Amino acid sequence: MMRTYEFLRKAGTFYLATTDHDQPRVRPFGAVCTYNGKLYITTSNKKECFRQMLENPKVEISGMSGESWIRLTCRVVLDTSVEAKKAMLKENPSLKNMYAVDDGKFEVLYLEKATAVFNAFGKEPETETF
């Protein structure tokens, strides 16, 4: 999990893919954190991507850093705990401009059943599962 976390932090921006019925949807994300041995992402419950993740928790994440890229296939699980939200805000202070732990819209989700494949030009892919 830590290799995936470090890659996504280094990439800065990564892309999350969901499905909206039969249509793929992709959007940029940028905040991740680790808490209680799990890797988390965040979004607002006012966004379509949140609804899509609740309806179908299977997502993919992709991002690049230099000449390397990642494809992460996983399921997301909603965590409503105050502690997980505080951990996200602590690791990503810029989120405090948009969210507060008790604002009614801030949500955090952790990744499970995850397989991350790391690729780089001229190298064999490497995999991390968690």
Side-chain angles (χ1 to χ4, degrees):
M1 175 192 76
M2 290 309 294
R3 182 173 180 191
T4 300
Y5 166 75
E6 290 167 6
F7 189 98
L8 294 175
R9 292 292 285 194
K10 187 176 177 185
T13 301
F14 51 90
Y15 298 87
L16 178 105
T18 60
T19 55
D20 190 13
H21 306 289
D22 67 342
Q23 181 64 45
R25 301 286 183 198
V26 180
R27 78 276 297 153
F29 271 58
V32 293
C33 85
T34 58
Y35 171 71
N36 212 18
K38 297 175 182 164
L39 180 60
Y40 282 78
I41 60 172
T42 185
T43 193
S44 167
N45 60 25
K46 308 297 184 206
K47 294 182 178 180
E48 285 295 306
C49 70
F50 181 72
R51 177 190 57 80
Q52 293 159 8
M53 288 188 284
L54 292 181
E55 288 177 3
N56 181 357
K58 295 178 183 178
V59 302
E60 285 201 356
I61 294 172
S62 184
M64 288 195 74
S65 179
E67 293 187 8
S68 299
W69 65 97
I70 188 173
R71 178 187 287 168
L72 173 59
T73 303
C74 59
R75 295 177 57 88
V76 293
V77 178
L78 180 63
D79 185 340
T80 59
S81 72
V82 168
E83 296 80 14
K85 291 178 180 183
K86 285 180 178 178
M88 180 62 76
L89 291 173
K90 182 177 180 182
E91 281 196 48
N92 300 275
S94 65
L95 291 175
K96 293 177 184 176
N97 296 328
M98 297 183 288
Y99 300 121
V101 170
D102 58 355
D103 66 7
K105 62 181 179 178
F106 180 45
E107 303 289 356
V108 294
L109 306 99
Y110 65 85
L111 311 183
E112 71 170 11
K113 298 180 182 176
T115 300
V117 179
F118 301 89
N119 293 279
F121 294 109
K123 294 184 180 178
E124 289 295 314
E126 297 178 14
T127 302
E128 177 180 59
T129 59
F130 55 95

